[in-house]
Amino acid sequence: MDADSVFEALASPVRRDILAFLADNGECNAGAIADQISHVARTSVSTHLRILRGAGLVRERRDGRQRLYSLDREGSATLAVGFFQTLMANSLEQVEERLEKTVTSSSASVTPPLRDAS
């Protein structure tokens, strides 16, 4: 699994809804997920689950005849989280640099108060 497959999987709002549902509810079967993701067909939910599983974002466990799905918290999700953490850290550094430049240039342009000559 690579970062591209993770971001392709996350590009779909339906798949993000499925991930949010699993994050809130833990392990569920496809029927329970489909009941909550009502804006797509039930068969479409299975397709989205297969893509999420292929990207390493969701795990599948068999219990008898049922297939149960849950977030794969140790899988590819860590790639996406690491990417966003790096992105945010770099953005914060850039904001700090711009703020320092702004403060430095503002304090340099301040005219000192006039003193009374008398």
Side-chain angles (χ1 to χ4, degrees):
M1 286 155 263
D2 61 302
D4 288 343
S5 65
V6 172
F7 288 110
E8 285 177 22
L10 293 174
S12 165
V14 172
R15 291 191 283 269
R16 291 193 304 269
D17 288 346
I18 291 170
L19 291 172
F21 177 75
L22 290 173
D24 290 343
N25 296 287
E27 192 175 59
C28 296
N29 63 30
I33 297 168
D35 287 344
Q36 295 302 312
I37 313 296
S38 58
H39 52 281
V40 296
R42 292 178 81 83
T43 55
S44 180
V45 169
S46 293
T47 301
H48 288 292
L49 284 168
R50 186 175 59 245
I51 292 169
L52 290 167
R53 207 177 63 240
L57 296 168
V58 168
R59 288 184 183 180
E60 177 186 301
R61 182 177 71 83
R62 290 184 184 241
D63 184 21
R65 294 176 53 190
Q66 274 197 329
R67 293 180 184 187
L68 300 169
Y69 299 92
S70 62
L71 291 181
D72 187 348
R73 297 182 187 276
E74 297 169 3
S76 298
T78 57
L79 290 173
V81 170
F83 173 79
F84 286 116
Q85 284 177 332
T86 302
L87 190 67
M88 291 302 296
N90 290 342
S91 296
L92 288 174
E93 286 177 16
Q94 290 176 355
V95 167
E96 285 177 8
E97 288 173 10
R98 288 183 187 163
L99 186 60
E100 284 181 23
K101 286 180 184 176
T102 302
V103 169
T104 303
S105 66
S106 296
S107 62
S109 64
V110 173
T111 306
L114 295 174
R115 292 185 175 205
D116 189 7
S118 57

